[in-house]
Amino acid sequence: MRAYLEIAKKSFQEMLSSRGEALIRLLAMLLSLYLLRSFWKGLYAGSDEVQGMKFTSMLTYATLSVITGGILNIFGLLQVYIAYWMARKMRSGEIVMDLLKPTDFELYLFSHSTGRLAFNLMFSVPVAILAFIVFRLEPPPGPAAAFLFMGSLAIGYLLVFLIDFLVSLIAFWTTQTRGVGGFTRLIIALLSGSFIPLWFFPAWARDALSWLPFSSIYHAPLSIFIGKLKGAEAMKTIAVQVAWALVLFALSRVLWSRARRHLMIHAG
Amino acid sequence: MAEIEVKDLCKEFTTYVRGHGLAGSVGSLLSRNRTVRKAVNHVGFIVEKGEMVGYVGPNGAGKSTTIKMLTGILYPTSGTVRVCGLCPSKDRKHNLMHIGTVFGQRTQLWWDLPLIESLELLRYIYKVSTKSYKENIERFCDILDIDEFMQTPVRQLSLGQRMRGDLAAALLHDPDILYLDEPTIGLDVVAKERIRLFIAELNRERKTTVVLTTHDLTDIGTLCRRIIIIDTGRIIYDGPVEEIRKRFGSESSLLVVFKEEPRGLSLQDAEEIVVDGLQARIRFDRRRIAASDLIGALLKEYPVSDLTIEDTSLERIIREIYLEGKLDAGLS
Ligand SMILES: Nc1ncnc2c1ncn2[C@@H]1O[C@H](COP(=O)(O)OP(=O)(O)OP(=O)(O)O)[C@@H](O)[C@H]1O
Ligand SMILES: [Mg+2]
């Protein structure tokens, strides 16, 4: 187990060594915050409430969405992160070096990913605090909501990892993930509520989307934070998240062992 | 029990041939031409504990493919591999804990981090005790001089430095077997020599079994007593390096510098004579005439100012074996 902790540490250090990239992402984050605020301000056009949604709640949601994006960092330039990385390794043959390690590959990747997460947290949290002060946003309605928010966000992270990992396995057959990676990125952006909260969707779509894993990534934790999702409904959402995490995890084990088998037969 | 036992090992790769040009590309979307290539073809050998074996052959002979099957990251199409009695592709983790592997063309080091960080991580991955970790790092610093660049990010290392780092990484957990696939590729003479010395010492002191592939036959000449030659997937020779030299290296050359131009130079037992001004190269077969007799005959008739005997290098022998399939005639 210690080994996996160390992998996360090294991955964190690796991020530290690319401070230039971090700075660019920080600036991009600040810029998105500013733009999103202008966008929603324009849309609300001075009114306090639209479709039962208070302006401050909406702004809190949008801000948190940018921050969450910064923390999860699933968006590489054109595709999801692990998928991009795996396709590169498959094409260069570098994947051989990973197979030579007496570790569990999925857990290895998860640790690596978590090291990045820790780094992202380190610079996203201050931005969040700053944004809350400057935009005068609302804190969660109570300690229970804050706690649920963090739990829900953590499961959201697991789901992002699993989806990304599953997509990356396609590279074992195609050595390319550009198409499918870009598609995943788009799907997550649209259906997760990252940009437009799901309650602005028609009721049937909202209902359908709440059963998909994508809404677990942004919509679930963010709605809990602003108090839109609470009580039994919040618990139900978290149950759905957990269920998806279990399903995707099981699927990832099956597909990973197939992908490895494929590689061990076809790649020299 | 032998440490490595390979029996009747085969590996086939299926590739799909794409057509040329746009029409071909579109066509290959619809139907693909399947070709099966035998990369390794009924290979068998046994390696005992502490042996150092050179595994050589021309490009595409199947060396890397064999090494990958030995390390357990590639399934054989048929045949068996046993390493310490286990099947490496089935007992993957167990096997990997006991072997070290260097693919000269790749690296297992973390590109953006200083070398020491990669080594530290491996210490936890292989559960190396603090004591042997310290000892090993010290040893690597001593012989491989890795302390010079321990704190340098790997991407800034020269090829030779990186290779030393990779060797250290592969050996940190004191593996019983070390697989080296072209560990001296692209290195200068000094760097190559340093790596050879290190491997030789490792084998002597720790009895580490070494399987080494290379295109530099000096590696084999200085390190290995035994050589396995593979060509198009088949083993064409497996035996002592000395045996090859004896069988095929009986040909030598005498380089002569004359005091004056040797007009009509001829010697009875020479295979071939090439004269160039005051110099001449005389090829002869030691099995037919001893060098001393040849020199005697030469000195009797011509005014000689200088003489050198040149043995056929292992390199040349192997080149001839590759080119002419000399072994087919010579051994089997
Ligand atoms: N993944 C693969 N798919 C298809 N063919 C492959 C694959 N890997 C290797 N081959 C083929 O198998 C043969 C043996 O390759 P291998 O890499 O083992 O050669 P090698 O002896 O290591 O050569 P080199 O000295 O160039 O490294 C080659 O003909 C190669 O083209
Ligand atoms: Mg090779």
Side-chain angles (χ1 to χ4, degrees), chain B residues 6-11 40-43 66 69 76 78-81:
Chain B
V6 177
K7 250 190 245 151
D8 226 11
L9 190 65
C10 295
K11 182 68 199 180
V40 172
N41 201 351
H42 298 284
V43 158
T66 310
M69 288 192 280
S78 64
T80 54
V81 178

Side-chain angles (χ1 to χ4, degrees), chain A residues 266-268, chain B residues 13 15 37 39 57-66 181-182 215:
Chain A
H266 294 283
Chain B
F13 286 115
T15 45
R37 170 177 286 145
N59 289 127
K63 303 180 296 293
S64 301
T65 307
T66 310
D181 192 355
E182 306 196 36
H215 289 293

Side-chain angles (χ1 to χ4, degrees), chain B residues 241-256:
Chain B
V241 178
E242 270 321 300
E243 182 74 16
I244 286 227
R245 279 195 209 273
K246 248 191 257 158
R247 260 181 218 238
F248 304 101
S250 55
E251 210 163 74
S252 300
S253 290
L254 194 60
L255 300 179
V256 194

Side-chain angles (χ1 to χ4, degrees), chain A residues 93-115:
Chain A
E94 210 71 36
I95 192 80
V96 162
M97 301 316 286
D98 294 303
L99 290 187
L100 280 170
K101 293 272 152 34
T103 43
D104 183 288
F105 188 58
E106 185 174 1
L107 208 50
Y108 177 96
L109 276 183
F110 182 71
S111 311
H112 194 277
S113 206
T114 306

Side-chain angles (χ1 to χ4, degrees), chain B residues 117-259:
Chain B
E117 304 290 345
S118 293
L119 296 178
E120 230 173 49
L121 177 59
L122 288 169
R123 165 188 171 186
Y124 293 107
I125 288 183
Y126 288 97
K127 302 187 175 72
V128 180
S129 73
T130 315
K131 185 163 161 283
S132 43
Y133 176 72
K134 277 205 183 122
E135 278 171 9
N136 279 343
I137 293 284
E138 226 163 79
R139 195 160 58 95
F140 299 146
C141 288
D142 262 7
I143 326 177
L144 288 172
D145 283 334
I146 55 172
D147 41 346
E148 285 169 18
F149 46 85
M150 202 67 130
Q151 305 296 338
T152 314
V154 171
R155 88 185 108 79
Q156 292 172 11
L157 297 183
S158 75
L159 191 57
Q161 292 173 329
R162 204 219 73 208
M163 203 73 87
R164 280 185 268 158
D166 259 302
L167 263 177
L171 290 166
L172 195 70
H173 57 292
D174 290 311
D176 300 322
I177 307 175
L178 178 62
Y179 298 108
L180 299 169
D181 192 355
E182 306 196 36
T184 54
I185 190 166
L187 303 193
D188 69 43
V189 188
V190 181
K192 278 182 179 177
E193 192 53 31
R194 192 200 281 266
I195 286 189
R196 283 178 203 136
L197 284 175
F198 177 71
I199 297 169
E201 178 165 322
L202 179 83
N203 174 262
R204 198 171 50 237
E205 310 254 298
R206 317 222 147 197
K207 300 285 167 286
T208 308
T209 309
V210 179
V211 178
L212 164 78
T213 88
T214 181
H215 289 293
D216 183 341
L217 291 156
T218 319
D219 292 345
I220 307 285
T222 51
L223 286 174
C224 308
R225 294 247 296 283
R226 174 174 168 204
I227 184 173
I228 298 178
I229 305 178
I230 179 174
D231 195 0
T232 55
R234 286 174 190 278
I235 290 186
I236 54 176
Y237 177 82
D238 179 356
V241 178
E242 270 321 300
E243 182 74 16
I244 286 227
R245 279 195 209 273
K246 248 191 257 158
R247 260 181 218 238
F248 304 101
S250 55
E251 210 163 74
S252 300
S253 290
L254 194 60
L255 300 179
V256 194
V257 182
F258 296 98
K259 286 189 183 130

